[in-house]
Structures are given as structure tokens and as C-alpha cells.
Amino acid sequence: MKKIAVLNDLSGLGKCSLTAAIPVISVMGIQACPLPTAVLSCQTGFPSYFCDDYTDRMDKIMDEWKKLDFQPDGIYTGFLADAAQADKVLSFIALFGGENVKILVDPVMGDDGEEYPIYTEELCEKMRFLAKKAAVITPNLTEALLLLYGRERAHEVWTELCDFEENDLVRFVEETGYKLARAYETEVVITGIDLPIKDDVQEMGNLICSRDSVQWIKAQKHGGSYSGTGDLFASVLSAGMVKGTDTVESVRKAVNFLAKGIRDAVEEETDRNEGICFEKYLYELAR
């Protein structure tokens, strides 16, 4: 069975990070091999949480895996608390990221035009190093701007975007995708782009961009944002990469899967911190 090393935190509540990645990757027929970066009582969107940082233990796990001649087919990196953890991930890729290993980097740094509290320019620079190692990166638009410009300029650009009509926004996102693809020599999937409302309907777009092509996958948006949707999305793509599935097909599968879980979460009035109701749709990913 093929294996994906998943470097991410483990949150007991919130359906994100490893608790999102492991079931998705597993049901798609790939063994998920978790390397925790931290263990939390719940994801950080809750009013309070306990966090046990694993940075100083990541090397010990890597050493043991090296003794066992661990050879993953894929590496998927998600939330990293700081630049020190990013350095550990870079070391992991140096040890285990062989020529045929499919690497997906989700550069978790912010959303909706604002960076997360963990953001530093040093962490952003490390994310750029990671992006250069990846076959696919999955930033949202905020993270795409941070990768390209850093915090100050990203804020300026985001303010300008707020007044864009749909055609201008689409053109801008495509230009951003091209810049990332060429700068980091990787395939770029810019996720979760809120398109302007038309006829009382809002769509969310996902842009797939290589050095010379773009394609949009869109779906009607229901409700607001929920914990873990980015992790679920990236997990589908990571497993698809290892299986040899085309990125466009994987994105379409991820969007359809998420849409059903989000719809149910909205109907059940689930708190956004609890995540979406995805479990009963996992079987669809096995097809």
C-alpha cells in the first residue's frame, strides 16, 4: 500500500488537521502516516485550548523512521506553528523526499485578508522554501498574496480587491496563480475564492494553475467558513497525486465532497469551530 507522511497538528475537537487528513487519505486507499507537530485539546478557533508543542520531538520521530528505512510515496504538510517547525519539515523533506515522492504544501498563514496570529515574515520565508519543494501548493488568496509580497503589500492589494467586479477579480486571481506557478515552479491551486454575488447567488471558485494553463472549478456557496475545510480539500488532492489522478479531477472531487458536508453543517446549524459533517460522505472518495 502506498503511504503519505502527513505533517500537521492533532486537534481533539474541530475536525481539522490530522483528524481530517487521516480518514480522507485512508478511504482513498492510501496509508496516512502522521507526524504530529503539536497535540491540542481543540483547534485554535475555540475560546480556549491546551497545546502541547511537538517541535522538539519531531527529530526523534524522524530518526526512528529513518532507522526503519521509511519510504513515503507522498508528503503533505499543513499548519506549522512557527519558522522552527518549518525548518523541521524542510529537514523531513531532505531525508524522505526522494525524486518520485509527491509533495503537497498547504501554506497555512491567513485568510480573508488577514494573517493568523502565528504569522511572521520569517515563517513566510520558510513557506516559500517549502513551496519550491512542492509539486502542488494549495494557498487561499490571502496566503497567495503573502507568499508573493509579504504582509504589508498583501494588505494593500487586498484592500484594492474589495472593489473589483467579477471579471477583474477573476483576471487578478489568474495572474496571481501564474506568478506563483512560475516563481516556485509548481502547480498552484488557489482555494476558496468568494466570487461576487449575482442574482442572489454566490459562488466559490478554486483556480488550478500551472505555468501555461488555468482552469476554474466553481460551486455554489452555502453558509460561512468552517474549521478544517482546507485540510479536507488538501487531503483529497494529496491522495489523488499519489494515485496519479489529474489535479483538475481531484479538485472537482474535493469540491463535490465538501459541498455536501457544508450543506449538512448549515442545515444542522453546526458551530463553525466544530467543522463540517463530512463523515457520511467519505465513501464517495473511494470511487
Side-chain angles (χ1 to χ4, degrees):
M1 178 177 282
K2 292 186 175 182
K3 303 178 179 69
I4 295 176
V6 188
L7 285 71
N8 214 329
D9 67 86
L10 175 63
S11 294
L13 300 178
K15 296 187 186 180
C16 65
S17 305
L18 287 176
T19 56
I22 292 171
V24 166
I25 291 170
S26 298
V27 81
M28 291 181 68
I30 309 293
Q31 180 182 342
C33 304
L35 197 167
T37 58
V39 175
L40 296 91
S41 59
C42 54
Q43 59 96 351
T44 58
F46 284 92
S48 68
Y49 58 90
F50 167 76
C51 177
D52 185 13
D53 191 309
Y54 265 44
T55 305
D56 61 354
R57 281 164 273 189
M58 291 172 69
D59 284 329
K60 295 177 182 178
I61 296 172
M62 286 188 268
D63 289 344
E64 294 299 323
W65 284 9
K66 194 65 179 175
K67 290 178 189 176
L68 296 172
D69 193 29
F70 175 59
Q71 296 180 8
D73 301 280
I75 297 172
Y76 160 34
T77 77
F79 177 85
L80 303 173
D82 52 32
Q85 285 195 350
D87 277 330
K88 301 295 185 186
V89 174
L90 286 164
S91 296
F92 186 93
I93 290 172
L95 281 172
F96 301 104
E99 182 179 352
N100 296 318
V101 177
K102 306 296 185 183
I103 300 174
L104 183 144
V105 170
D106 185 8
V108 180
M109 295 185 287
D111 199 5
D112 291 329
E114 295 292 336
E115 62 276 1
Y116 296 139
I118 52 99
Y119 180 87
T120 63
E121 294 294 339
E122 185 181 8
L123 174 60
C124 187
E125 185 62 22
K126 297 296 183 182
M127 287 294 190
R128 293 182 181 118
F129 284 122
L130 283 171
K132 290 179 180 177
K133 304 288 186 183
V136 175
I137 61 173
T138 57
N140 57 41
L141 186 54
T142 301
E143 292 156 350
L145 296 177
L146 289 170
L147 284 172
L148 286 173
Y149 306 121
R151 174 167 34 201
E152 185 174 344
R153 178 58 182 152
H155 280 199
E156 294 172 353
V157 173
W158 189 269
T159 301
E160 297 168 7
L161 289 177
C162 294
D163 297 324
F164 278 19
E165 299 293 334
E166 181 171 358
N167 288 341
D168 292 332
L169 178 61
V170 166
R171 189 179 307 111
F172 174 83
V173 175
E174 290 178 356
E175 290 172 355
T176 300
Y178 276 131
K179 287 179 181 178
L180 283 172
R182 290 166 181 163
Y184 298 106
E185 298 183 343
T186 185
E187 191 169 24
V188 178
V189 182
I190 302 181
T191 64
I193 302 155
D194 286 338
L195 299 172
I197 297 172
K198 292 191 302 187
D199 301 322
D200 294 325
V201 173
Q202 182 166 34
E203 286 188 317
M204 178 172 285
N206 299 277
L207 176 74
I208 305 146
C209 184
S210 62
R211 291 172 59 88
D212 54 9
S213 68
V214 295
Q215 182 161 344
W216 286 87
I217 304 295
K218 301 176 183 178
Q220 187 171 336
K221 182 175 181 179
H222 298 280
S225 63
Y226 286 88
S227 169
T229 51
D231 300 316
L232 293 163
F233 184 97
S235 299
V236 174
L237 265 63
S238 179
M241 287 169 56
V242 168
K243 294 173 71 172
T245 305
D246 178 75
T247 302
V248 172
E249 182 180 339
S250 288
V251 170
R252 189 172 286 114
K253 176 178 282 192
V255 167
N256 292 338
F257 169 64
L258 289 172
K260 294 175 182 178
I262 292 171
R263 178 200 62 204
D264 287 3
V266 171
E267 289 178 356
E268 294 181 16
E269 298 182 350
T270 303
D271 185 281
R272 71 159 309 279
N273 288 320
E274 295 284 355
I276 67 170
C277 307
F278 70 85
E279 291 85 350
K280 65 183 178 182
Y281 300 111
L282 281 168
Y283 77 95
E284 297 185 2
L285 297 176
R287 295 174 179 171

